[in-house]
Amino acid sequence: MSSLSNKRIILGVTGGIAAYKSAELVRRLQDAGAEVRVVMTHAATEFVRPLTMQALSGHQIHTELLDSDAEAGMGHIELARWADLLLIAPASADFIANMVHGRADSLLATIYLATPAKVAVAPAMNQAMWAHPASMDNIATLRQRNVNVIGPDDGIQACGDTGPGRMEQPDTIVTTVGSLFANGLLAGKKVVVTAGPTREALDPVRYISNHSSGKMGYALAEAASEAGAQVILISGPVNLAIPPNCQLVSVLSAGELLEASLEAADGADIFIAAAAVADYRAKAIAAQKIKKQDAGMTIQLERNPDVVSTVAAANSALFVLGFAAETENVEAHARDKLKRKKLDAIIANDVSRDDVGFDTDNNEACWIDADSTKTFSKRSKTQLARDIIEHMVHRQSL
Ligand code: CTP
C-alpha cells in the first residue's frame, strides 16, 4: 500500500525559483497515492504557469481569495477542511513571515489559518536570507506551532551562492510527508473497530437497515492503523475500500456483528463501536419472498442484542468507545448512553443535520467521558478520526 494512499493534500506553491520543482512534486505525491489540489500565490504564477499545475494535478488551480466561481465550487473554507495536509512547497521567506503573523491576504494564507489539517513547509530561499535571524525566529515560531519544517537542502543555489536554502528534493519531501501520518501512539495495541450498518433480513430479498455509510468507522480504523495499532475492522455492508493494514471481518446482521465482536475483542486493548446497529430484527425471517396482500401488513420485530454493552460487560480491561447518533439533546442523550452501556467514553454526533454525520464526508462531534467533554468542530471524517484517536490516547493515560 502506498505511503500516502487516501491522503488529501493541498500543495501550496509560493513565489520562488524552486516553484518549478513543485510540478514534479505533484506527480511524486500522486504516485504515493495522494489526492492533490494546488493553491498558488500570485508570485508563484510568475514562476510556473497554473496551466502546467492544472494538467499535472488534473484539477483546477486555486489562486484567488475572492473568486465567486471557485467559492461556488469548493470554497476556501471547504478546501481547508477537505485537506489532511497543507504542504507549502516552496515556502518563500515572505510567505513564512506571513504565516507567523497570521495574515489572511491571499487564498493560501487564509487556508493556512482555517485548516485543522497538519501543516508542513519546505522553505526555499537564498542562503543569506535563510540564515538571517528574522528567518530563524520565524521558523522557530512555526515549529512551536507544530508546523513541520522539511529541509531546506544545502548546495549550489540558483543565484550562484552555496549553502542551506534550496528546497528539499521532491522525493525526500514525499518520504517525510509519509512519515507525518505515521505516529506510534497505538504501537503494540490491538484495536477492534465496528463500522457501517447492519442488515436484518425479512425474507430472501428484503431487509431492514439504515443510512450509515461506514465512513466514520473506516476512518477510525485507518487512523488507528496509522497510529501503529493492529486493527480488526468488523464491517456491515458498505461501499468502501479496506483501509491499509486493517484486517476486515464482513458481517450482515447484528447477531453476526455480536459474534465477530466478542471473538475479536478477546485480548484486544480498545473497542470502538462506530457501527449503526439495527435495534430490531424480524421475529421470523420468511423462508420465501413475502407476497403482497390487499390489506396492509404488519411485521413483528424483536430486539437485537446490544453489541457494545455486551462486549464491554465481557471484557473489563478493554477500553470501550461508543458512538451516539442523536437528533436532539445530543449531549444529554449521549451521556445517558455512556452510563447505561457502561462505556469508557462516547462520541456524540448530531445526525439530524445534512452537512455532517450520516453519509457525508464531514463530521462534527463531541467526546464525552465520565469527567470531561471535548468538542471537535466540523472537519473531514479522516481528520476527525485522527483527532479522536489522539484524544483517546491522551485521556487513557490520565
Ligand atoms: N449499539 C450496539 N448494539 C445495538 C445498538 C447500538 O452496539 N443494538 C452501539 C452503537 O454501535 C453505538 C452505541 O451503541 O456505539 C449507540 O448507538 P445508538 O444507535 O446511538 O444508540 P441506541 O442504543 O440504538 O439508542 P437509541 O436508538 O434509543 O438512540
Side-chain angles (χ1 to χ4, degrees):
M1 189 56 72
S2 304
S3 61
L4 293 174
S5 76
N6 304 329
K7 300 293 177 291
R8 298 159 157 191
I9 298 179
I10 296 178
L11 176 61
V13 185
T14 71
I17 183 62
Y20 81 91
K21 286 196 209 165
S22 306
E24 169 78 6
L25 187 54
V26 172
R27 270 287 151 83
R28 295 283 82 84
L29 290 167
Q30 288 172 332
D31 290 348
E35 197 181 329
V36 183
R37 299 287 162 89
V38 179
V39 176
M40 302 176 78
T41 61
H42 285 153
T45 63
E46 303 285 335
F47 290 90
V48 201
R49 284 183 58 82
L51 197 58
T52 308
M53 302 303 266
Q54 181 169 318
L56 288 169
S57 71
H59 292 280
Q60 190 202 339
I61 302 308
H62 304 263
T63 51
E64 303 301 326
L65 179 56
L66 302 173
D67 177 343
S68 50
D69 282 352
E71 290 292 319
M74 198 190 291
H76 65 287
I77 299 294
E78 197 57 28
L79 198 56
R81 280 195 197 118
W82 169 86
D84 296 319
L85 171 75
L86 169 63
L87 168 64
I88 302 171
S92 65
D94 179 54
F95 195 79
I96 288 169
N98 248 293
M99 290 168 79
V100 167
H101 291 286
R103 298 197 52 153
D105 54 358
S106 68
L107 176 63
L108 187 56
T110 315
I111 289 173
Y112 165 59
L113 291 177
T115 192
K118 295 174 194 299
V119 180
V121 293
M125 64 194 77
N126 163 270
Q127 53 84 26
M129 290 170 74
W130 172 253
H132 196 282
S135 299
M136 292 289 108
D137 285 354
N138 286 342
I139 285 291
T141 304
L142 291 187
R143 282 204 166 103
Q144 271 170 18
R145 290 184 198 157
N146 285 331
V147 171
N148 299 280
V149 180
I150 305 174
D153 195 9
D154 199 329
I156 298 174
Q157 301 200 294
C159 51
D161 281 4
T162 302
R166 297 197 324 184
M167 185 170 97
E168 194 52 272
Q169 293 305 319
D171 281 344
T172 310
I173 294 179
V174 172
T175 309
T176 310
V177 161
S179 70
L180 296 181
F181 288 101
N183 61 57
L185 286 175
L186 290 176
K189 303 279 185 207
K190 179 179 168 191
V191 177
V192 180
V193 181
T194 71
T198 64
R199 248 180 216 181
E200 310 299 329
L202 298 176
D203 69 12
V205 294
R206 304 185 181 94
Y207 56 81
I208 303 175
S209 193
N210 59 62
H211 290 297
S212 169
S213 63
K215 285 178 184 163
M216 196 64 233
Y218 273 58
L220 281 157
E222 181 163 0
S225 157
E226 266 170 25
Q230 176 208 340
V231 179
I232 300 181
L233 171 59
I234 307 175
S235 175
V238 298
N239 203 0
L240 298 171
I242 309 171
N245 305 319
C246 294
Q247 182 192 334
L248 181 75
V249 179
S250 296
V251 296
L252 281 178
S253 65
E256 288 177 25
L257 178 68
L258 177 63
E259 200 180 315
S261 297
L262 284 170
E263 193 182 324
D266 190 23
D269 300 284
I270 296 165
F271 186 83
I272 302 178
V277 190
D279 290 322
Y280 296 90
R281 61 166 178 251
K283 200 157 186 189
I285 302 173
Q288 305 301 331
K289 186 180 171 206
I290 302 168
K291 289 294 181 190
K292 66 176 160 301
Q293 293 150 10
D294 287 342
M297 77 174 294
T298 305
I299 300 169
Q300 287 272 345
L301 300 178
E302 63 184 8
R303 283 288 297 270
N304 261 331
D306 192 289
V307 177
V308 73
S309 57
T310 311
V311 168
N315 299 275
S316 55
L318 190 66
F319 184 92
V320 182
L321 174 64
F323 271 73
E326 306 294 347
T327 55
E328 56 173 0
N329 299 333
V330 178
E331 199 177 325
H333 282 315
R335 205 165 266 291
D336 178 54
K337 271 179 200 167
L338 174 78
K339 289 204 194 98
R340 216 168 2 104
K341 302 196 183 207
K342 298 200 166 46
L343 311 176
D344 294 290
I346 195 158
I347 301 291
N349 54 128
D350 185 344
V351 289
S352 67
R353 287 168 52 178
D354 287 342
D355 60 331
V356 292
F358 270 9
D359 217 7
T360 66
D361 288 332
N362 291 324
N363 210 355
E364 188 179 290
C366 182
W367 164 287
I368 299 170
D369 58 30
D371 42 30
S372 82
T373 301
K374 181 178 168 63
T375 302
F376 296 97
S377 59
K378 183 173 164 181
R379 61 199 71 184
S380 72
K381 286 184 175 172
T382 314
Q383 188 59 42
L384 178 64
R386 288 193 193 112
D387 295 339
I388 288 173
I389 296 288
E390 202 177 312
H391 188 67
M392 179 177 69
V393 171
H394 171 66
R395 291 293 302 165
Q396 251 190 307
S397 61
L398 283 179

